Amino acid sequence: DQQVKQNSPSLSVQEGRISILNCDYTNSMFDYFLWYKKYPAEGPTFLISISSIKDKNEDGRFTVFLNKSAKHLSLHIVPSQPGDSAVYFCAASEGGNTPLVFGKGTRLSVIA
Amino acid sequence: SAVISQKPSRDICQRGTSLTIQCQVDSQVTMMFWYRQQPGQSLTLIATANQGSEATYESGFVIDKFPISRPNLTFSTLTVSNMSPEDSSIYLCSVATGLYGYTFGSGTRLTVV
């Protein structure tokens, strides 16, 4: 049973446009959500996170939106740059030293 | 946040052999987590290692195949035993720092031939 779902395995966006990556979850106990960027043969790189008490968190070009009622979150990258091309993982936590649960990832390709 | 040193970064191993992966953390942490990422797949939790007790394994993973040691609050090892080509993956350790912080090692890319 997949608790964190990223239904789009890949996304292609032109440079300068907005990239929107989506994530859905089923576990109501999740109260903290994170987005990671990952290159092959490297550990995940933390991008941005959001607590369940918020509906938006912004950090530079990255914004994460959380819709708790829909159990849905999204990562917006604007403007998209070729260096953003990577696999993006959505992850969720119940907090308090519990492990992260990851989605399957979305491969973002930003085309110059 | 914590810094993790994970070794080896990569290895090519013969089937039937074992490989031990080490993670050293620069601060004391209660929980350490071990993940596997098979080619093109997500990060899947193998087990949670708490110092002073047996590791807790997720469904589909067993101690005989993936024994874990956690001798102190800064160190853990994961052994991949009796390897087959299906074990070819990236293995990652992670720690929880504070209520919502997580740090990952740089990963071990294992190829079994």
Side-chain angles (χ1 to χ4, degrees), chain A residues 36-47 61-62 77 81-89 106-110, chain B residues 10 37 40-41 43 90 92 105-109:
Chain A
Y36 287 87
K37 178 180 181 180
K38 192 176 184 300
Y39 296 110
E42 292 183 11
T45 300
F46 171 74
L47 281 175
R61 296 186 299 115
F62 302 94
I77 306 173
Q81 301 173 352
D84 295 330
S85 298
V87 179
Y88 289 76
F89 288 96
T106 296
R107 180 177 298 277
L108 174 65
S109 299
V110 180
Chain B
R10 59 178 60 221
Q37 185 186 20
Q41 301 297 312
L43 284 77
I90 297 171
L92 294 139
S106 54
T108 296
R109 179 183 281 275

Coordinates of all heavy atoms in Angstrom, one line a residue, chain A residues 36-47 61-62 77 81-89 106-110, chain B residues 10 37 40-41 43 90 92 105-109:
Chain A
Y36 N 12.6 16.4 -2.0 CA 14.1 16.2 -2.2 C 14.3 16.2 -3.7 O 13.5 15.7 -4.5 CB 14.5 14.9 -1.6 CG 14.6 14.9 -0.1 CD1 13.5 14.6 0.7 CD2 15.8 15.2 0.6 CE1 13.5 14.6 2.1 CE2 15.9 15.2 2.0 CZ 14.7 14.9 2.7 OH 14.8 14.9 4.1
K37 N 15.5 16.6 -4.0 CA 16.0 16.5 -5.4 C 17.1 15.4 -5.4 O 18.0 15.4 -4.4 CB 16.6 17.8 -5.8 CG 17.2 18.0 -7.2 CD 17.7 19.4 -7.3 CE 18.3 19.7 -8.6 NZ 18.8 21.1 -8.8
K38 N 17.2 14.6 -6.4 CA 18.2 13.5 -6.3 C 18.8 13.3 -7.7 O 18.1 13.2 -8.7 CB 17.6 12.2 -5.8 CG 18.6 11.1 -5.5 CD 18.0 9.9 -4.9 CE 19.1 8.9 -4.5 NZ 19.9 8.5 -5.6
Y39 N 20.1 13.2 -7.7 CA 20.9 12.8 -8.9 C 21.3 11.4 -8.7 O 21.4 10.9 -7.6 CB 22.1 13.7 -9.0 CG 21.8 15.2 -9.3 CD1 22.0 16.2 -8.4 CD2 21.2 15.6 -10.5 CE1 21.8 17.5 -8.6 CE2 20.9 16.9 -10.8 CZ 21.2 17.8 -9.8 OH 20.9 19.2 -10.0
P40 N 21.5 10.7 -9.8 CA 22.0 9.3 -9.7 C 23.2 9.2 -8.8 O 24.1 10.0 -8.9 CB 22.3 8.9 -11.1 CG 21.4 9.8 -12.0 CD 21.4 11.1 -11.2
A41 N 23.3 8.1 -8.0 CA 24.4 7.8 -7.2 C 24.8 8.8 -6.2 O 25.9 8.9 -5.7 CB 25.7 7.5 -8.1
E42 N 23.8 9.7 -5.8 CA 24.0 10.6 -4.7 C 22.9 10.5 -3.7 O 21.8 10.0 -4.1 CB 24.0 12.1 -5.3 CG 25.2 12.4 -6.1 CD 25.2 13.9 -6.5 OE1 24.4 14.6 -6.0 OE2 26.0 14.2 -7.4
G43 N 23.1 11.0 -2.5 CA 22.1 11.0 -1.6 C 21.1 12.1 -1.9 O 21.4 13.0 -2.7
P44 N 19.8 12.0 -1.4 CA 18.8 13.1 -1.7 C 19.3 14.4 -1.1 O 19.9 14.5 0.0 CB 17.6 12.6 -1.0 CG 17.8 11.2 -0.7 CD 19.3 11.0 -0.5
T45 N 19.0 15.5 -1.9 CA 19.3 16.8 -1.4 C 18.0 17.5 -1.0 O 17.0 17.6 -1.8 CB 19.9 17.6 -2.6 OG1 21.1 17.0 -2.9 CG2 20.2 19.1 -2.1
F46 N 17.9 17.9 0.2 CA 16.7 18.6 0.7 C 16.4 19.9 0.0 O 17.3 20.7 -0.2 CB 16.8 18.8 2.2 CG 15.7 19.7 2.8 CD1 14.5 19.2 3.0 CD2 16.0 21.0 3.2 CE1 13.5 19.9 3.6 CE2 15.0 21.8 3.7 CZ 13.7 21.3 3.9
L47 N 15.2 20.1 -0.4 CA 14.8 21.3 -1.1 C 14.0 22.2 -0.2 O 14.3 23.4 0.1 CB 14.0 21.0 -2.3 CG 14.7 20.5 -3.6 CD1 13.7 20.2 -4.6 CD2 15.7 21.6 -4.1
R61 N 13.0 30.2 -5.5 CA 12.2 29.8 -6.7 C 11.3 28.6 -6.3 O 10.5 28.2 -7.2 CB 13.2 29.4 -7.8 CG 14.1 30.5 -8.3 CD 14.9 30.0 -9.5 NE 15.8 28.9 -9.2 CZ 15.7 27.7 -9.7 NH1 14.7 27.4 -10.6 NH2 16.6 26.7 -9.4
F62 N 11.4 28.1 -5.1 CA 10.6 26.9 -4.8 C 9.5 27.3 -3.8 O 9.7 28.0 -2.8 CB 11.5 25.9 -4.1 CG 12.7 25.4 -5.0 CD1 13.9 26.1 -4.9 CD2 12.5 24.4 -5.9 CE1 15.0 25.7 -5.7 CE2 13.6 24.0 -6.7 CZ 14.8 24.6 -6.6
I77 N 8.2 25.3 -9.1 CA 9.6 25.9 -9.4 C 9.4 26.9 -10.5 O 9.0 26.6 -11.6 CB 10.5 24.8 -9.8 CG1 10.6 23.6 -8.9 CG2 11.9 25.4 -10.0 CD1 11.4 22.4 -9.4
Q81 N 15.0 26.2 -14.4 CA 16.3 26.3 -15.1 C 16.8 24.9 -15.4 O 16.4 23.9 -14.8 CB 17.3 26.9 -14.1 CG 16.9 28.3 -13.6 CD 17.7 28.8 -12.5 OE1 18.6 28.1 -11.9 NE2 17.5 30.1 -12.1
P82 N 17.7 24.8 -16.4 CA 18.2 23.5 -16.9 C 18.9 22.8 -15.7 O 18.8 21.5 -15.6 CB 19.2 23.9 -17.9 CG 18.7 25.2 -18.5 CD 18.1 25.9 -17.4
G83 N 19.5 23.5 -14.8 CA 20.1 22.8 -13.6 C 19.1 22.2 -12.7 O 19.5 21.4 -11.8
D84 N 17.8 22.5 -12.9 CA 16.8 21.8 -12.0 C 16.4 20.4 -12.5 O 15.7 19.7 -11.9 CB 15.5 22.6 -12.1 CG 15.6 24.0 -11.5 OD1 16.5 24.2 -10.5 OD2 14.9 25.0 -11.9
S85 N 17.0 20.0 -13.7 CA 16.7 18.7 -14.2 C 17.3 17.6 -13.3 O 18.5 17.6 -13.0 CB 17.3 18.6 -15.6 OG 16.7 19.5 -16.5
A86 N 16.4 16.8 -12.7 CA 16.7 15.8 -11.7 C 15.5 15.0 -11.4 O 14.4 15.3 -12.0 CB 17.3 16.4 -10.5
V87 N 15.6 14.0 -10.5 CA 14.4 13.3 -10.0 C 14.0 14.0 -8.7 O 14.9 14.2 -7.8 CB 14.7 11.8 -9.8 CG1 13.4 11.1 -9.3 CG2 15.1 11.2 -11.1
Y88 N 12.7 14.3 -8.6 CA 12.2 14.9 -7.4 C 11.3 14.0 -6.6 O 10.4 13.3 -7.1 CB 11.4 16.2 -7.7 CG 12.3 17.3 -8.2 CD1 12.8 17.3 -9.5 CD2 12.6 18.4 -7.4 CE1 13.7 18.3 -10.0 CE2 13.4 19.4 -7.8 CZ 14.0 19.3 -9.1 OH 14.8 20.3 -9.6
F89 N 11.7 13.8 -5.3 CA 10.9 12.9 -4.5 C 10.1 13.7 -3.4 O 10.6 14.6 -2.8 CB 11.8 12.0 -3.7 CG 12.4 10.9 -4.6 CD1 13.7 11.1 -5.1 CD2 11.7 9.8 -4.9 CE1 14.3 10.1 -5.9 CE2 12.3 8.8 -5.7 CZ 13.6 8.9 -6.2
T106 N 9.5 12.0 -9.5 CA 9.1 12.5 -10.8 C 10.4 13.0 -11.4 O 11.1 13.8 -10.8 CB 8.1 13.7 -10.7 OG1 6.9 13.2 -10.2 CG2 7.8 14.3 -12.1
R107 N 10.7 12.6 -12.6 CA 11.9 13.1 -13.3 C 11.5 14.3 -14.1 O 10.7 14.3 -15.0 CB 12.4 12.0 -14.3 CG 13.6 12.5 -15.1 CD 14.2 11.4 -16.0 NE 14.5 10.2 -15.2 CZ 15.7 10.0 -14.6 NH1 16.6 11.0 -14.6 NH2 16.0 8.9 -13.9
L108 N 12.2 15.4 -13.7 CA 11.9 16.7 -14.3 C 13.0 17.0 -15.3 O 14.2 16.9 -15.0 CB 11.9 17.8 -13.2 CG 11.8 19.3 -13.8 CD1 10.5 19.5 -14.5 CD2 12.0 20.3 -12.6
S109 N 12.6 17.3 -16.5 CA 13.6 17.8 -17.5 C 13.3 19.2 -17.9 O 12.1 19.5 -18.4 CB 13.5 16.9 -18.8 OG 13.8 15.5 -18.4
V110 N 14.2 20.1 -17.7 CA 14.0 21.5 -18.1 C 14.8 21.7 -19.4 O 16.0 21.5 -19.4 CB 14.5 22.4 -17.0 CG1 14.3 23.9 -17.5 CG2 13.7 22.2 -15.7
Chain B
R10 N 30.9 3.2 -3.6 CA 30.4 2.2 -4.6 C 31.3 1.0 -4.5 O 32.4 1.0 -3.9 CB 30.5 2.8 -6.0 CG 31.9 3.3 -6.4 CD 31.9 3.8 -7.8 NE 31.0 4.9 -8.0 CZ 30.2 5.1 -9.0 NH1 30.2 4.2 -10.0 NH2 29.5 6.2 -9.1
Q37 N 17.4 2.0 -2.8 CA 16.8 2.5 -4.0 C 17.2 1.6 -5.1 O 18.4 1.7 -5.6 CB 17.2 4.0 -4.2 CG 16.5 4.6 -5.4 CD 16.9 5.9 -5.8 OE1 18.0 6.4 -5.5 NE2 16.1 6.6 -6.6
G40 N 15.7 3.0 -10.9 CA 14.4 3.6 -11.3 C 13.3 3.6 -10.3 O 12.1 3.9 -10.6
Q41 N 13.6 3.3 -9.1 CA 12.5 3.1 -8.1 C 12.7 4.2 -7.0 O 13.6 5.0 -7.0 CB 12.6 1.7 -7.4 CG 12.4 0.6 -8.4 CD 11.0 0.7 -9.1 OE1 10.0 0.8 -8.4 NE2 11.0 0.5 -10.4
L43 N 12.9 5.4 -2.8 CA 13.7 5.0 -1.6 C 12.7 4.2 -0.7 O 11.7 4.7 -0.3 CB 14.2 6.2 -0.9 CG 15.4 6.9 -1.5 CD1 15.0 7.8 -2.7 CD2 16.1 7.8 -0.5
I90 N 21.2 1.3 -4.8 CA 21.8 2.3 -4.0 C 21.3 2.2 -2.6 O 20.1 2.1 -2.3 CB 21.6 3.8 -4.5 CG1 22.2 3.9 -5.9 CG2 22.2 4.8 -3.5 CD1 21.8 5.2 -6.6
L92 N 21.2 3.7 1.3 CA 21.4 5.0 2.0 C 21.1 4.9 3.4 O 20.1 4.2 3.8 CB 20.5 6.1 1.4 CG 20.7 6.5 -0.1 CD1 19.4 6.6 -0.8 CD2 21.5 7.8 -0.1
G105 N 23.1 10.1 4.2 CA 24.4 9.8 3.7 C 24.5 10.0 2.2 O 23.4 10.1 1.5
S106 N 25.7 9.9 1.6 CA 25.8 10.2 0.2 C 25.5 8.9 -0.7 O 25.4 9.0 -1.9 CB 27.2 10.6 -0.2 OG 28.2 9.7 0.4
G107 N 25.2 7.8 0.0 CA 24.8 6.6 -0.7 C 25.9 5.7 -1.0 O 27.1 6.1 -1.2
T108 N 25.6 4.4 -1.2 CA 26.5 3.3 -1.6 C 25.9 2.7 -2.8 O 24.8 2.1 -2.8 CB 26.8 2.3 -0.5 OG1 27.4 2.9 0.6 CG2 27.6 1.1 -1.1
R109 N 26.6 2.8 -4.0 CA 26.1 2.2 -5.2 C 26.7 0.8 -5.3 O 27.9 0.6 -5.5 CB 26.5 3.0 -6.4 CG 26.0 2.4 -7.7 CD 26.4 3.2 -8.9 NE 25.6 4.3 -9.2 CZ 24.5 4.3 -9.8 NH1 24.0 3.2 -10.3 NH2 23.8 5.4 -10.0

